[in-house]
Amino acid sequence: MQNRIILIVVGLALIFGVGFFVYSTKQPVFIPPEEIIDQTPSPTPTPSVVVATPKPTPTPTPTPTFISTPTPSGITLSQIALHNSRSSCWSAINGNVYDLTSWIPYHPGGENTILSICGKNGSGAYNGEHGGSSKTAKILIGFKIGVLVQ
Amino acid sequence: MTINIKFSRLELGQNLLRLGLAAVFLWFGFSQLFDSLRWVSVVPDWAVELFHLPPAIIVLANGALEVILGSLIATDVLVRIPAIILALHLIPIALDFGITATAIRDYGLVIAAFTLALIYGYHENKPEL
């Protein structure tokens, strides 16, 4: 009888513990920067909850800087390598290049899996985890921004 | 008052398997309830067509099912039937992933859940299962 009571207590602790853990580690909902609406003065003042993010003012650079934007001819690994962070995450997977930035908080396997392939060729990691899965391929195609060139 | 806990190896194994599996299903269940957006994209098309429900509702319903059955297993109220139901509901999910690392993990969970349903409550003094 005592064993059973202890097991029930352990079970209840497990339920609340896991629930609390999942709740406390929940990822915040990510809003891509381009979807954040600027607060511009309107003729009719309306209460708004949208927070405007100050856009950085561009600073003139004396020398031409390398801008990593996808070109029709493709994207190189060196361009991808520039996007190796949470704020801009590109990855090459099986010959295509994907901008996975907005997918980071939604990846069911956790953020770190995506963050680990930012700025790199992530084919090995992707194929090891999802290779052959048409469902994940369909999700991935929505993030395609170009093809990989050497 | 003294607490006297005595488990045989079999009982300890059964309870560890039970609590371990319950923790897994509770984690995924709570994650679907608290963090549904993360899971909406992985709802298979056939599930949407089968239930005629939006993916978000399927995620919430699946999460609730896993939390309820996981809680029954964790608290030792009912173990064998919830374990069978969870194993059966995990099979189509794993099949949908194909042969991938995620699916292999899920197949392992299916086998573990079936094993729990088979061995839970079995005592060594019984002659056979």
Side-chain angles (χ1 to χ4, degrees):
Chain A
M1 186 63 191
Q2 208 170 33
N3 279 6
R4 186 159 173 78
I5 292 167
I6 289 166
L7 287 174
I8 290 171
V9 170
V10 170
L12 288 172
L14 186 76
I15 295 166
F16 287 106
V18 172
F20 178 76
F21 178 76
V22 172
Y23 184 75
S24 60
T25 57
K26 188 177 80 158
Q27 300 300 331
V29 175
F30 175 79
I31 302 169
E34 60 268 22
E35 287 180 18
I36 297 173
I37 304 160
D38 283 332
Q39 248 185 341
T40 50
S42 57
T44 50
T46 50
S48 174
V49 290
V50 181
V51 179
T53 48
K55 285 184 180 169
T57 50
T59 51
T61 48
T63 52
T65 51
F66 177 72
I67 300 165
S68 57
T69 50
T71 58
S73 57
I75 303 166
T76 62
L77 273 174
S78 57
Q79 285 176 295
I80 294 168
L82 297 172
H83 300 267
N84 60 354
S85 65
R86 180 188 291 271
S87 57
S88 182
C89 173
W90 290 9
S91 187
I93 297 169
N94 299 333
N96 292 316
V97 182
Y98 301 91
D99 182 352
L100 301 173
T101 313
S102 59
W103 179 242
I104 293 170
Y106 300 119
H107 183 238
E111 289 189 343
N112 288 339
T113 317
I114 300 294
L115 289 171
S116 68
I117 60 168
C118 294
K120 299 176 192 167
N121 188 334
S123 303
Y126 173 82
N127 293 331
E129 188 68 28
H130 302 299
S133 169
S134 59
K135 177 135 193 81
T136 47
K138 272 192 269 179
I139 296 170
L140 191 62
I141 200 76
F143 299 98
K144 185 177 171 182
I145 53 171
V147 291
L148 179 68
V149 290
Q150 298 304 318
Chain B
M1 183 188 161
T2 56
I3 297 172
N4 184 21
I5 308 169
K6 225 175 194 178
F7 288 120
S8 68
R9 278 171 60 180
L10 180 67
E11 285 172 329
L12 189 62
Q14 288 172 343
N15 283 304
L16 283 176
L17 179 60
R18 177 176 67 80
L19 292 170
L21 265 179
V24 171
F25 285 112
L26 284 168
W27 191 94
F28 282 102
F30 279 124
S31 180
Q32 288 166 78
L33 290 179
F34 293 147
D35 210 359
S36 310
L37 273 179
R38 180 186 279 240
W39 296 93
V40 168
S41 62
V42 294
V43 174
D45 297 335
W46 60 260
V48 177
E49 287 165 20
L50 181 69
F51 298 112
H52 296 287
L53 289 169
I57 300 296
I58 294 174
V59 168
L60 289 173
N62 191 65
L65 176 84
E66 291 185 5
V67 167
I68 291 167
L69 295 180
S71 299
L72 289 173
I73 292 175
T75 50
D76 200 16
V77 173
L78 261 180
V79 174
R80 302 178 75 169
I81 291 170
I84 290 171
I85 294 170
L86 285 171
L88 290 174
H89 114 290
L90 203 50
I91 291 173
I93 295 172
L95 286 174
D96 191 62
F97 279 108
I99 305 295
T100 62
T102 308
I104 298 299
R105 178 199 62 194
D106 287 348
Y107 293 132
L109 286 171
V110 169
I111 293 167
F114 276 130
T115 305
L116 180 67
L118 276 173
I119 68 166
Y120 198 72
Y122 170 70
H123 299 290
E124 282 161 311
N125 56 353
K126 284 188 181 173
E128 57 188 46
L129 269 174

